[in-house]
């Protein structure tokens, strides 16, 4: 069965078609500037050159229409008719406490997801637009929602309750939800394979460090704690997000700079993190280049980033009573050997010893620790789309 995987943002949409259960990737693509001048679809049939089409797209239904045209195109397509697409899997960011696993898209399911919009105002409404567009153009195709939060629903209250008046949790659902769950779940399963263990036997600290970044403590294959919170702002330093800060900084800086709550929210989400400290870029490659030229702030941004990941590795090892492995994944985790090296520096005391030669690698599944390291260090490229396709296939063929 061919499964279309859709990851829909407010003005962009990523998609892939995978053949399941063989897991073969058939094509992938990206639609950008939906509803803005200069809309464009970039489509790539695996093994062929990219096909780029600039065409006005006023909304997500237009965008999905062009995705369908690309999938059926006689040169770049992967299906003769849409009947060959057996199911669509949608990424949905916030599933709240309602979805501890992926779920078939039904009217009731959509109503429940809509009810969670307030908890993820930037993401869930866009995800829902993608589902509505696909339902409109593929009314007879089964669809599944795969939630970023589901994997973290196994966290105990001690991990997810904030030390605020309890009534905010009861009244408004203010608690830690965590995100990147599909990625943490994917690398957990892969790590179990690499360690020759069953998934429910592995204890891990998984580090998804890309533009967005989060760590998870995985105990017996289940999430025990994670660094993102009510929103993806908490935890690690990210490209443009601050991660953990003293909450008292918010009223302090707002007062000094005469900023509204909305201004502070934008500052913490869009102008902080690696970009905020370095003043150069949110991209770690630019920071590394600037460091090489002796830029002090770039060096500080790099060091603060590494320090925060190290902090969480230590904390999570303590929470789950030691780990079988530390896993690195996502853009920085998969590609930056120097960042992995700096994160691991000093962790030898916890039995985590990096093999510097083995660490000279990018984007491939590999053991990076020395033979005598008590805790293994694993590099595992993430594949959220495959996880979405797997869940979708499993649910629709049940
Ligand atoms: P992601 O959000 O997982 O797609 O990760 C994107 C981020 O990965 C970029 O913004 C970069 O900061 C980082 N990245 C990608 N390639 C490299 C590299 N070779 N070295 C350092 N950082 C990288």
């Amino acid at each position: 069965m061919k499964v279309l995987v859709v990851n829909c943002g407010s003005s962009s949409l990523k998609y892939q078609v995978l053949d399941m259960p063989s897991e073969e990737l058939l094509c992938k693509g990206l639609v950008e500037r939906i509803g803005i001048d200069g809309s464009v679809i970039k489509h790539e049939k695996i093994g062929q050159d990219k096909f780029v089409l600039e065409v006005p797209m006023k909304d997500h239904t237009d965008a999905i229409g062009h995705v369908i045209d690309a999938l059926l195109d006689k040169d770049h397509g992967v299906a003769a008719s849409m009947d060959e697409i057996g199911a669509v899997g949608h990424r949905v960011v916030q599933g709240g406490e309602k979805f501890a696993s992926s779920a078939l898209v039904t009217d009731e399911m959509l109503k429940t997801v809509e009810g969670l919009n307030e908890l993820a105002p930037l993401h869930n409404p866009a995800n829902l637009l993608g589902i509505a567009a696909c339902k409109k153009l593929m009314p007879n195709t089964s669809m599944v929602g795969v939630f970023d939060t589901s994997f973290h629903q196994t966290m105990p209250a001690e991990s997810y309750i904030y030390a605020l008046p309890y009534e905010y949790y009861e009244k408004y659902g203010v608690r830690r939800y965590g995100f990147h769950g599909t990625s943490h779940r994917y690398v957990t399963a892969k790590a179990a394979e690499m360690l020759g263990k069953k998934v429910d036997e592995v204890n891990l600290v998984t580090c998804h460090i890309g533009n967005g970044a989060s760590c998870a403590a995985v105990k017996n294959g289940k999430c025990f704690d994670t660094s993102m919170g009510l929103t993806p702002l908490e935890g690690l330093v990210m490209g443009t997000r601050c991660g953990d800060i003293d909450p008292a900084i918010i009223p302090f800086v707002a007062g000094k700079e005469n900023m509204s709550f909305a201004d502070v929210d934008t500052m913490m989400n869009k102008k902080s993190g690696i970009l905020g400290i370095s003043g150069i870029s949110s991209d770690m490659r630019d920071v590394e280049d600037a460091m090489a030229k002796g830029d002090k702030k770039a060096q500080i941004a790099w060091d603060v980033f590494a320090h925060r990941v190290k902090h969480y590795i230590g904390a999570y090892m303590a929470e789950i009573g030691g780990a079988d492995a530390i896993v690195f994944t996502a853009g920085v985790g998969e590609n930056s050997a120097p960042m992995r090296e700096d994160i691991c520096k000093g962790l030898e005391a916890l039995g985590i010893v990096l093999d510097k030669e083995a660490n000279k690698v990018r984007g491939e599944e590999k053991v990076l620790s020395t033979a005598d390291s008590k805790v293994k260090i694993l590099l595992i490229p993430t594949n959220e789309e495959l996880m979405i396709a797997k869940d979708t296939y499993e649910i629709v063929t049940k």
Side-chain angles (χ1 to χ4, degrees):
M1 176 195 291
K2 288 171 184 157
V3 174
L4 170 63
V5 173
V6 175
N7 180 356
C8 196
S10 55
S11 67
S12 70
L13 183 162
K14 282 191 242 168
Y15 64 92
Q16 290 191 356
V17 175
L18 293 102
D19 181 62
M20 298 302 289
S22 77
E23 302 184 3
E24 185 191 353
L25 175 63
L26 302 177
C27 72
K28 59 183 178 180
L30 170 68
V31 184
E32 288 175 300
R33 303 182 65 85
I34 301 168
I36 311 171
D37 281 351
S39 311
V40 61
I41 175 167
K42 297 169 186 166
H43 174 86
E44 183 185 350
K45 182 176 179 176
I46 301 309
Q48 286 189 9
D49 287 343
K50 243 188 212 155
F51 152 82
V52 180
L53 178 67
E54 259 193 62
V55 56
M57 296 181 222
K58 67 175 185 315
D59 57 22
H60 289 75
T61 306
D62 273 1
I64 292 291
H66 284 287
V67 171
I68 292 174
D69 287 349
L71 301 185
L72 299 181
D73 187 273
K74 67 176 180 359
D75 296 321
H76 319 283
V78 293
S81 94
M82 282 310 278
D83 294 342
E84 286 180 33
I85 305 292
V88 185
H90 294 271
R91 176 190 185 207
V92 182
V93 167
Q94 177 59 275
E97 291 183 336
K98 309 276 187 203
F99 297 100
S101 55
S102 303
L104 197 65
V105 172
T106 62
D107 290 344
E108 197 192 334
M109 178 268 197
L110 289 176
K111 227 184 243 157
T112 311
V113 175
E114 227 178 276
L116 299 165
N117 278 358
E118 209 182 31
L119 290 175
L122 298 180
H123 296 101
N124 268 30
N127 303 153
L128 285 169
L129 282 175
I131 297 178
C134 287
K135 272 173 64 93
K136 194 167 168 190
L137 300 180
M138 293 173 257
N140 301 317
T141 310
S142 300
M143 304 199 185
V144 168
V146 178
F147 303 90
D148 269 27
T149 48
S150 292
F151 182 63
H152 304 304
Q153 275 297 301
T154 51
M155 282 191 289
E158 68 203 65
S159 299
Y160 71 72
I161 291 292
Y162 290 114
L164 291 167
Y166 196 74
E167 64 190 269
Y168 300 148
Y169 166 57
E170 294 172 311
K171 285 202 287 196
Y172 312 122
V174 173
R175 54 158 282 178
R176 175 185 312 287
Y177 291 99
F179 299 88
H180 292 143
T182 310
S183 174
H184 289 292
R185 181 158 60 104
Y186 175 81
V187 299
T188 295
K190 273 279 164 206
E193 257 176 49
M194 288 171 81
L195 296 167
K197 288 189 164 195
K198 292 192 186 130
V199 174
D200 60 8
E201 286 173 347
V202 287
N203 295 319
L204 308 166
V205 179
T206 51
C207 308
H208 175 113
I209 47 177
N211 187 36
S214 66
C215 283
V218 177
K219 189 174 179 181
N220 299 324
K222 294 196 171 74
C223 180
F224 186 84
D225 204 351
T226 192
S227 58
M228 282 179 167
L230 173 71
T231 75
L233 183 57
E234 195 182 351
L236 300 178
V237 177
M238 308 181 213
T240 61
R241 296 186 199 130
C242 58
D244 298 335
I245 58 168
D246 179 347
I249 294 169
I250 297 168
F252 181 81
V253 171
K256 293 276 181 207
E257 297 269 322
N258 200 17
M259 288 160 96
S260 66
F261 280 141
D263 294 337
V264 177
D265 195 52
T266 303
M267 176 271 286
M268 294 188 300
N269 275 290
K270 302 257 162 81
K271 299 178 185 168
S272 299
I274 289 296
L275 171 68
I277 303 174
S278 69
I280 293 170
S281 166
S282 61
D283 193 307
M284 202 59 90
R285 286 164 289 199
D286 299 335
V287 168
E288 210 180 334
D289 288 348
M291 265 164 56
K293 291 180 192 133
D295 189 286
K296 279 215 178 81
K297 286 187 196 160
Q299 182 71 54
I300 294 171
W302 174 278
D303 291 346
V304 173
F305 185 96
H307 172 87
R308 188 81 55 88
V309 179
K310 194 197 304 265
H311 170 94
Y312 271 96
I313 290 173
Y316 284 175
M317 294 267 292
E319 284 189 23
I320 60 174
D324 302 306
I326 309 299
V327 179
F328 286 110
T329 193
V332 180
E334 291 170 24
N335 292 300
S336 180
M339 179 52 78
R340 290 192 300 260
E341 188 175 331
D342 277 359
I343 291 168
C344 292
K345 225 176 258 167
L347 290 177
E348 296 82 4
L350 298 180
I352 305 166
V353 188
L354 185 76
D355 179 333
K356 288 185 187 163
E357 273 308 304
N359 188 40
K360 288 179 184 160
V361 66
R362 290 173 62 165
E364 63 180 71
E365 260 170 48
K366 195 173 172 198
V367 178
L368 306 180
S369 42
T370 58
D372 61 352
S373 177
K374 243 175 68 191
V375 179
K376 294 232 173 351
I377 304 170
L378 306 178
L379 168 52
I380 304 179
T382 194
N383 194 340
E384 291 162 280
E385 290 80 8
L386 174 57
M387 204 75 241
I388 294 173
K390 271 184 162 177
D391 281 8
T392 303
Y393 178 75
E394 246 177 65
I395 288 176
V396 302
T397 54
K398 221 187 241 168

